[in-house]
Amino acid sequence: MQFILLILVVCLAIALLATIWPLFVFLALIVVAYKIYEVVYFNGKKFLSIKEKIQAHIDDCNDLNQHIEDLKSTSLVVNRTDYGEAEYHDASRWNVKREALKNQKYAPYIYDCSRTVCDNARRQPFKYVCKYFGIKADEPTLERFEAALNDFSAVEDGKVSLKKEREQIMTSIDADVPFLIKKFSGKKLEAKLGFDEVDFSTLYFPKYEFKYVSAGGNTSTKYDVVMDIDNLNRFVTFLSEKIKFKKSAAGQRALMTSGLRQYIKERDHFTCRYCGASISKEPNLLLEIDHIVPVSKGGLTTEDNLQT
């Protein structure tokens, strides 16, 4: 009986394939034809002329993209001692081996701790980051975190400018690009034009990680303190309050928050007070905020002593 059913199923499958195989052939021919059309278009004079016309703008975009990627490489402070590394061997019986313990390795931004420390780090992350990652509340540390905040703020501003610039370039050639290419080969079109691949994610933000793994390896918990723009702003304020030097040079620099920077840029109409360069003229321009009277000479971080 089963053999007969098998024969029937095979016969039905053959009949079905005999009915629909022309459709598969037709679809395959369409795909092949489009691929040929795609190759011909991207190697044609019309596309090459479009690419040549906007090459300077694409180069500007790629330069900005590279600058953004360079800023992302900013590293944060960590002063943990490296005690070396030992090789792990587990001679336990097979049913009590714990892979989580085997995979534990030294990493400067990961602290393997007790469950209590892990829970406390969740409630007071900044305090425990300072305590267990060797971050001292002093002027050099504050300056490094402020520098990281400046770089990451510039990255986020640059990403907005870059996205806008790319959209403007693609809009400028929209009428010259065939509909099929825009519809089915959008990513390839950007690559063929010469755009570098852009990462608009926020995964570059560094983090301090507190991780607990039980003795047997069955239970694990971790808390990540991600130093994004908001957390960096708050951490700079935390350090400033902790070391209590609001009137010192480093304390004045700590008052330069991203919100204050944005306010000064808007007040100055996004125009450099020194050279007159403006975002309206140079969309990819990354503006900085300076003290008119330098902090080193007693200048304060106040609105009337700041300029773009």
Side-chain angles (χ1 to χ4, degrees):
M1 185 65 180
Q2 292 180 349
F3 178 74
I4 295 174
L5 288 174
L6 179 61
I7 294 296
L8 289 174
V9 170
V10 171
C11 290
L12 287 173
I14 293 173
L16 183 62
L17 287 174
T19 304
I20 65 174
W21 74 265
L23 178 61
F24 284 113
V25 172
F26 178 70
L27 292 175
L29 289 174
I30 290 178
V31 172
V32 171
Y34 178 75
K35 290 298 181 182
I36 294 173
Y37 166 72
E38 190 181 59
V39 171
V40 171
Y41 175 76
F42 285 128
N43 288 281
K45 291 183 179 180
K46 184 175 181 180
F47 173 75
L48 295 177
S49 66
I50 293 173
K51 181 178 179 180
E52 183 179 0
K53 182 175 67 175
I54 62 174
Q55 189 61 53
H57 299 292
I58 292 175
D59 290 341
D60 288 342
C61 270
N62 290 340
D63 289 343
L64 178 58
N65 186 36
Q66 184 57 53
H67 180 55
I68 290 172
E69 292 302 315
D70 291 341
L71 290 174
K72 286 182 181 180
S73 63
T74 300
S75 60
L76 295 186
V77 179
V78 60
N79 294 315
R80 288 186 59 200
T81 302
D82 184 355
Y83 292 104
E85 188 171 333
E87 189 173 349
Y88 177 85
H89 297 280
D90 189 349
S92 306
R93 295 173 61 87
W94 66 271
N95 61 339
V96 293
K97 288 181 181 291
R98 300 291 182 255
E99 289 299 320
L101 299 179
K102 182 179 179 180
N103 294 331
Q104 281 185 313
K105 292 184 179 180
Y106 170 81
Y109 290 94
I110 299 176
Y111 185 75
D112 293 296
C113 56
S114 67
R115 181 63 178 267
T116 301
V117 171
C118 209
D119 289 341
N120 288 339
R122 176 177 62 86
R123 289 188 286 268
Q124 296 178 299
F126 292 162
K127 175 182 177 181
Y128 278 77
V129 163
C130 288
K131 182 176 181 179
Y132 288 99
F133 289 93
I135 299 175
K136 298 179 180 179
D138 55 21
E139 294 187 16
T141 299
L142 185 60
E143 290 175 359
R144 287 185 62 182
F145 273 97
E146 188 187 29
L149 177 59
N150 288 338
D151 288 346
F152 294 156
S153 296
V155 167
E156 293 305 299
D157 290 343
K159 283 160 62 176
V160 173
S161 298
L162 180 59
K163 186 175 182 180
K164 183 178 179 181
E165 182 71 11
R166 285 172 68 106
E167 289 174 350
Q168 289 176 345
I169 292 173
M170 296 305 294
T171 300
S172 70
I173 63 172
D174 185 74
D176 299 324
V177 179
F179 171 78
L180 290 177
I181 295 295
K182 291 185 292 185
K183 181 69 175 178
F184 300 108
S185 304
K187 291 292 184 181
K188 192 169 186 177
L189 173 62
E190 292 184 1
K192 288 290 186 179
L193 286 171
F195 284 111
D196 289 342
E197 187 173 350
V198 180
D199 178 16
F200 287 110
S201 72
T202 57
L203 296 179
Y204 69 92
F205 288 128
K207 65 182 179 181
Y208 296 99
E209 181 179 310
F210 293 88
K211 185 171 67 174
Y212 160 74
V213 180
S214 65
N218 285 323
T219 304
S220 64
T221 305
K222 73 170 185 174
Y223 292 106
D224 297 334
V225 184
V226 180
M227 287 300 181
D228 55 15
I229 302 298
D230 180 59
N231 252 357
L232 278 173
N233 263 315
R234 294 163 66 185
F235 191 64
V236 164
T237 302
F238 170 82
L239 287 178
S240 180
E241 292 174 351
K242 188 175 179 65
I243 56 185
K244 297 179 180 179
F245 60 92
K246 288 284 187 180
K247 294 184 179 180
S248 69
Q252 287 301 312
R253 294 191 186 97
L255 297 176
M256 182 79 83
T257 63
S258 58
L260 179 58
R261 289 189 188 88
Q262 184 64 23
Y263 171 78
I264 298 300
K265 290 177 186 178
E266 292 175 354
R267 185 199 67 186
D268 293 341
H269 306 292
F270 297 94
T271 302
C272 177
R273 298 278 289 275
Y274 285 112
C275 65
S278 171
I279 286 181
S280 62
K281 299 177 182 177
E282 301 179 49
N284 294 333
L285 185 66
L286 298 180
L287 296 169
E288 299 288 346
I289 304 301
D290 292 329
H291 290 82
I292 298 173
V293 178
V295 171
S296 60
K297 296 183 179 180
L300 301 178
T301 304
T302 55
E303 294 177 13
D304 58 349
N305 193 43
L306 296 173
Q307 64 180 357
T308 304

